[in-house]
Amino acid sequence: MEISERAKNISPSLTLAITAKSKAMKAQGMDVVSFGAGEPDFNTPEYIIDAAKYALDKGMTKYTPVPGTIELRKAICEKIAKDSGITYAPEQIVVSTGGKQTLRNAFEAVINPGDEVILPVPYWLTYPELIRMSGGKVVYIETTDAQHFKITPEMLEKAITPKTKAFVFNNPSNPTGMVYTEDEIRALAKVLEDRDIYVISDEIYEKLVYGVDFFSIAACSEKMKERTIICSGMSKTYSMTGWRVGYSAAPLHVAKAMSSIQSHTTSNTNSIAQYASLIALTDKRGEEFLCSMKEKFDARRKLIVELIRKAPLLDCVEPMGAFYVMMNVTGTFGKKCDGQVIRNSSDFCDKLLEKSLVAVVDGAAFGAPDYVRLSYATSEEDIRKGLDRIAEFTSAL
């Protein structure tokens, strides 16, 4: 008996695999420094945890409406209006079980078999899988660090065909940490606003920007708002990764379709986590937590870029958002480690973990085999220790 062709063609998440492997090595007593984690290393704020306890004590343990409680959806509308200046009604909001389900709902709602979906490279590794699972065909736009990993209007225009149905816009970006300026976003919007192309705008890292401002592509014009599906969630802003709360804001007909799809998969998101999310969004202590976390991430960001640029054979572009940096490892290609030639990023990752006990994520997973991704959602001590080991590793090649 065989599994489905769809299941056969799905690649497992390499970031989760790297994290699991490094944790297993640590459990065996190895002093592994891992740069693989895609989640804040801060605990969920106490006031949010207390809200969940309150929800349990008050019996908020039943089904809610599929798209989320009306209170939470209203709070999300208020949040988007305040932060991005875009007005939505609660009926346009769908609360889902994490950012991945939000994206899956979006693709399922708008993609038909054979539709093309434009995806800039490097990309978050889940995007191609979700597109293919929805029957779509991925059309890649290649970028490099020389371009700061950003596409131009000309590149976007060239990728569009009569079969184009959607464009995935991840800003700030995982894995590159790049943030588009308002002018850059408006230039891309001009290519799209008179075409029947949906924009899947993944804004999960919108609050984690450093020295730049976040701007949503849906704020460009009413035309762009009617073409854009904003996908976001609670995980990165409030360090609530395990709570599994995502949300979308979309044109009404798309939101209804996404809610219908969700009604036959997970139904409503966890009721206790929904109440905790409501308090997270509406309590002023959330801003205090975010400011403190951003300050720490910013210091780590500057440190990791400085140390990468000091290391032999390595380089990087300074990220302006999220908590990742893409490290260019092409300087190590052709060098030998224990007599074995490093031919690509996969060889670099394997040898670095084997010889120096440092775990990084292979850039090939993001469509970028000249790079590896490092997350600085880890302590300054581990950043220094890990980059010291990386520098020693590259020095010995």
Side-chain angles (χ1 to χ4, degrees):
M1 299 291 290
E2 293 189 357
I3 59 172
S4 69
E5 291 300 317
R6 182 186 300 107
K8 287 179 184 178
N9 292 327
I10 297 173
S11 300
S13 171
L14 185 59
T15 53
L16 295 179
I18 289 291
T19 301
K21 185 174 182 178
S22 61
K23 284 182 178 179
M25 292 173 71
K26 285 181 180 179
Q28 295 171 20
M30 300 182 190
D31 182 24
V32 176
V33 177
S34 178
F35 290 106
E39 61 180 345
D41 58 321
F42 305 94
N43 196 23
T44 305
E46 197 67 29
Y47 81 94
I48 299 175
I49 294 172
D50 288 342
K53 294 175 182 176
Y54 176 84
L56 285 166
D57 290 339
K58 293 299 180 180
M60 299 181 192
T61 57
K62 306 299 182 183
Y63 292 133
T64 75
V66 170
T69 64
I70 188 64
E71 294 83 4
L72 178 54
R73 284 182 284 145
K74 284 181 177 178
I76 291 168
C77 290
E78 291 169 5
K79 178 258 173 226
I80 296 173
K82 176 185 174 184
D83 291 345
S84 298
I86 314 168
T87 302
Y88 288 99
E91 293 75 24
Q92 294 176 273
I93 307 299
V94 178
V95 179
S96 303
T97 306
K100 282 184 180 178
Q101 186 183 22
T102 294
L103 290 161
R104 180 72 197 276
N105 286 347
F107 287 121
E108 287 286 327
V110 302
I111 302 301
N112 288 311
D115 284 345
E116 293 180 354
V117 180
I118 296 172
L119 182 62
V121 182
Y123 48 77
W124 181 45
L125 53 83
T126 294
Y127 294 138
E129 305 302 330
L130 293 179
I131 293 166
R132 285 191 281 263
M133 287 165 67
S134 300
K137 177 185 176 184
V138 187
V139 176
Y140 298 104
I141 301 180
E142 301 287 341
T143 69
T144 66
D145 51 10
Q147 303 165 286
H148 283 209
F149 300 114
K150 295 181 182 181
I151 67 167
T152 63
E154 293 75 19
M155 296 165 74
L156 178 58
E157 182 87 49
K158 187 177 179 181
I160 294 172
T161 76
K163 293 183 178 180
T164 303
K165 189 66 175 289
F167 164 57
V168 179
F169 189 53
N170 178 207
N171 181 54
S173 166
N174 173 11
T176 68
M178 292 300 106
V179 180
Y180 284 77
T181 67
E182 180 177 342
D183 287 345
E184 289 168 337
I185 292 170
R186 289 189 179 278
L188 294 175
K190 284 184 179 180
V191 177
L192 298 165
E193 61 185 3
D194 289 323
R195 288 182 160 103
D196 292 329
I197 296 173
Y198 286 105
V199 179
I200 313 294
S201 184
D202 187 346
E203 303 178 1
I204 194 77
Y205 293 97
E206 63 172 304
K207 291 289 189 178
L208 298 178
V209 292
Y210 316 102
V212 294
D213 294 323
F214 169 78
F215 182 77
S216 174
I217 195 168
C220 287
S221 65
E222 192 62 29
K223 285 183 177 180
M224 283 311 303
K225 178 186 172 185
E226 286 304 307
R227 286 158 174 74
T228 301
I229 305 167
I230 293 175
C231 298
S232 192
M234 307 300 295
S235 61
K236 314 303 181 181
T237 302
Y238 297 98
S239 197
M240 293 176 67
T241 50
W243 297 69
R244 309 312 301 137
V245 181
Y247 60 81
S248 59
L252 184 58
H253 69 290
V254 176
K256 286 181 176 179
M258 292 172 69
S259 182
S260 294
I261 291 165
Q262 185 166 299
S263 71
H264 293 292
T265 51
T266 59
S267 190
N268 66 272
T269 298
N270 179 285
S271 58
I272 297 97
Q274 283 193 65
Y275 182 75
S277 298
L278 170 65
I279 300 306
L281 288 170
T282 56
D283 194 297
K284 291 182 179 179
R285 285 173 287 183
E287 285 299 319
E288 296 172 13
F289 169 77
L290 179 61
C291 287
S292 174
M293 182 171 67
K294 274 183 64 174
E295 187 177 315
K296 291 182 175 67
F297 276 144
D298 194 17
R300 296 174 185 179
R301 176 182 70 94
K302 293 171 181 174
L303 174 63
I304 201 167
V305 168
E306 176 189 348
L307 294 177
I308 288 172
R309 289 175 173 173
K310 285 182 178 178
L313 307 176
L314 303 174
D315 199 6
C316 68
V317 175
E318 182 179 14
M320 303 306 293
F323 38 69
Y324 308 105
V325 59
M326 289 292 272
M327 185 168 72
N328 190 319
V329 296
T330 55
T332 68
F333 295 174
K335 305 288 184 181
K336 289 186 177 181
C337 177
D338 288 346
Q340 288 185 296
V341 176
I342 296 177
R343 300 161 299 170
N344 50 41
S345 56
S346 298
D347 290 346
F348 179 90
C349 291
D350 290 343
K351 281 298 179 183
L352 182 64
L353 183 58
E354 175 190 326
K355 296 290 291 183
S356 302
L357 298 182
V358 177
V360 297
V361 183
D362 185 355
F366 311 107
D370 289 344
Y371 307 87
V372 299
R373 192 195 75 175
L374 284 74
S375 166
Y376 49 90
T378 189
S379 68
E380 182 176 319
E381 178 186 358
D382 275 355
I383 290 172
R384 290 187 182 278
K385 183 196 293 185
L387 265 296
D388 282 348
R389 292 182 183 181
I390 291 173
E392 290 173 7
F393 174 78
T394 57
S395 295
L397 294 176

